[in-house]
Amino acid sequence: MREISNLGYALLGLMHKHPQSGYDLRKIFSSTSMKTYSDSPGAIYPALRRLQEQGLINGKLEEGSGLRRRQLFRLAPPGLAALKKWIRLPITRKDLLWAQQEIMLRFAFAHQVVGAAPAIALLKSLEAELKTYIPVLHEEMRTMKSSISISARLAFEFGIRGTECLLSWTRYAITTYEEEIRGGTS
Amino acid sequence: MREISNLGYALLGLMHKHPQSGYDLRKIFSSTSMKTYSDSPGAIYPALRRLQEQGLINGKLEEGSGLRRRQLFRLAPPGLAALKKWIRLPITRKDLLWAQQEIMLRFAFAHQVVGAAPAIALLKSLEAELKTYIPVLHEEMRTMKSSISISARLAFEFGIRGTECLLSWTRYAITTYEEEIRGGTS
DNA sequence: TATGACATGTAATCTGTTACATGATTAG
DNA sequence: CTAATCATGTAACAGATTACATGTCATA
């Protein structure tokens, strides 16, 4: 089976709550904090068609008067399975390097799609990976410190601080999440 | 003139220090903290060819015995001009949303390519943009807080914390940079 | 002489971007 | 009636990924 792109997963995740039309999804990308994904029709409609061809979603034309009415897409069982599998994947070093955004996307959908326990498992996996990665970054820094310009060094320092910030958020998120599910009902 | 991709600018920046071969550049991407860029030949060699076609770099085959020896690329004057122009661009809201990595890449090259004053100007531009952006994020948070799941809310909180972390780094970088150029000779 | 590092490239495929095109419905 | 918004799409193009192909040079 063909790989599912990041945009594909974003679409699947958004459809989990309730069926959406291509236009709805575009609006979400253009108006909310998911602006990092493209709201262009040239990205969304082909992506939806691909998901449909793979049997991950089903589209149904709403009956209406006109010739071209809106089409609602809903998650099909294989699509839900793929979404769950993706969210449950453990975090790897590679994810930290290439795909911090993707991690957040996965976590954002986690509670709704797979529930509290796997969501917390995702955070713990992230925490573990970060704990071994941060010392590596410090070590790299020490190695090259002397050979690079001041601005390059500061940029690298941001890489470290940003990663440390992610770790601190992860710990905060674990605590907050655990408190919340103990306190209020999910 | 055709747009220069992020990878293109990364290549131009790396060539600024001294001429590099395609292989050298691949090694930099695969072995240093620039792992976020692809080290695959299918990305680098075509990118180098494009830069050459645009007259931004010149390639010279090192004279050697064999038939196929390494080719060294060096920045041509228009390439240096393009690199400088790119680094000096002020930071926009759009950059904050889409291209934090690109900002860091620009800053990493800044000291070497355009010197201290424009490097600090870049940081100040970043600081200014962040100061107006962070309140917007908090406002967005307040608006949707109630309508989203706990994990989605925490993910959004990371967006805010990450941005605040960037601001704090920016201020630290300005101070450190200014001290350093006052103290040691650049 | 076989392995691995050096060194450069191409081809197929996929995805995304920009720009354009179409047509329905609603508000002024 | 006209403009804006709803709604869906296509076409041309750019760029990246993966996998493959080629050949040199040093060394064990």
Side-chain angles (χ1 to χ4, degrees):
Chain A
M1 199 195 265
R2 174 136 118 253
E3 295 260 310
I4 302 170
S5 70
N6 242 319
L7 174 61
Y9 282 114
L11 295 170
L12 293 177
L14 289 170
M15 269 177 251
H16 181 265
K17 199 167 185 179
H18 52 75
Q20 310 256 17
S21 73
Y23 194 76
D24 293 337
L25 295 160
R26 283 182 62 199
K27 287 295 123 177
I28 292 172
F29 291 142
S30 66
S31 68
T32 73
S33 53
M34 296 187 77
K35 284 191 235 300
T36 30
Y37 292 93
S38 167
D39 67 329
S40 83
I44 301 217
Y45 292 108
L48 287 170
R49 188 161 21 80
R50 284 194 297 274
L51 294 173
Q52 199 170 20
E53 279 165 7
Q54 292 171 83
L56 304 174
I57 60 176
N58 294 314
K60 265 183 204 159
L61 276 163
E62 275 188 330
E63 28 241 80
S65 40
L67 290 165
R68 210 153 67 164
R69 288 312 296 141
R70 66 194 239 117
Q71 186 172 15
L72 276 181
F73 293 94
R74 73 178 61 239
L75 267 185
L80 179 59
L83 185 60
K84 285 183 175 176
K85 191 176 161 190
W86 174 69
I87 291 172
R88 285 170 193 267
L89 248 30
I91 303 292
T92 65
R93 180 69 52 92
K94 210 180 157 189
D95 294 327
L96 256 30
L97 281 170
W98 293 83
Q100 288 199 199
Q101 271 207 208
E102 191 189 343
I103 296 173
M104 282 303 147
L105 187 66
R106 284 166 56 186
F107 180 66
F109 291 135
H111 183 76
Q112 191 169 107
V113 177
V114 294
I120 288 174
L122 182 61
L123 291 174
K124 294 216 164 142
S125 163
L126 176 58
E127 188 194 13
E129 199 53 42
L130 285 169
K131 275 203 296 212
T132 69
Y133 184 48
I134 288 172
V136 173
L137 286 176
H138 281 284
E139 180 52 35
E140 262 186 61
M141 174 73 167
R142 224 170 306 126
T143 309
M144 58 177 198
K145 201 167 187 169
S146 54
S147 66
I148 59 176
S149 77
I150 161 110
S151 69
R153 204 190 74 224
L154 286 167
F156 190 80
E157 268 185 64
F158 174 70
I160 299 180
R161 278 169 165 245
T163 308
E164 284 168 346
C165 172
L166 178 55
L167 176 58
S168 117
W169 170 85
T170 306
R171 286 168 173 159
Y172 158 79
I174 292 171
T175 317
T176 309
Y177 206 141
E178 281 175 342
E179 265 173 35
E180 194 120 343
I181 58 173
R182 225 183 302 286
T185 12
S186 159
Chain B
M1 199 194 266
R2 176 135 117 251
E3 293 261 310
I4 302 170
S5 70
N6 241 318
L7 174 61
Y9 282 115
L11 295 170
L12 292 178
L14 289 170
M15 270 177 249
H16 181 265
K17 199 167 185 179
H18 53 75
Q20 311 257 15
S21 72
Y23 194 77
D24 293 337
L25 294 161
R26 283 183 62 199
K27 287 294 124 178
I28 292 171
F29 290 142
S30 66
S31 68
T32 73
S33 53
M34 295 186 78
K35 283 191 235 301
T36 31
Y37 291 94
S38 168
D39 67 329
S40 83
I44 300 212
Y45 292 107
L48 286 169
R49 187 160 23 79
R50 284 195 296 274
L51 293 173
Q52 199 170 20
E53 279 164 8
Q54 292 171 84
L56 303 174
I57 60 176
N58 294 315
K60 266 183 204 161
L61 277 162
E62 273 187 330
E63 27 242 81
S65 40
L67 290 165
R68 213 157 62 170
R69 290 311 297 142
R70 65 193 240 117
Q71 186 171 15
L72 277 181
F73 293 95
R74 73 178 62 240
L75 266 185
L80 179 58
L83 185 59
K84 286 184 176 177
K85 191 176 161 190
W86 173 70
I87 292 171
R88 287 171 193 264
L89 246 32
I91 303 292
T92 64
R93 180 69 51 92
K94 208 180 158 188
D95 294 327
L96 256 30
L97 281 172
W98 294 83
Q100 287 199 201
Q101 272 205 211
E102 191 189 343
I103 296 172
M104 281 303 147
L105 187 67
R106 282 166 55 185
F107 180 65
F109 291 135
H111 183 77
Q112 192 169 106
V113 177
V114 294
I120 289 174
L122 182 61
L123 292 173
K124 296 218 162 142
S125 162
L126 176 58
E127 189 195 12
E129 198 53 41
L130 286 168
K131 275 202 295 211
T132 69
Y133 184 47
I134 288 173
V136 173
L137 287 176
H138 280 285
E139 180 52 34
E140 263 186 60
M141 174 72 167
R142 227 169 304 128
T143 308
M144 59 176 198
K145 201 167 188 170
S146 54
S147 66
I148 61 175
S149 77
I150 161 111
S151 70
R153 202 191 75 223
L154 285 166
F156 190 80
E157 268 185 63
F158 174 70
I160 298 181
R161 277 170 166 245
T163 309
E164 285 168 345
C165 173
L166 179 56
L167 176 58
S168 117
W169 170 86
T170 306
R171 286 168 173 160
Y172 158 79
I174 291 171
T175 318
T176 308
Y177 206 142
E178 282 175 341
E179 265 172 35
E180 193 120 342
I181 58 173
R182 224 182 304 286
T185 11
S186 157

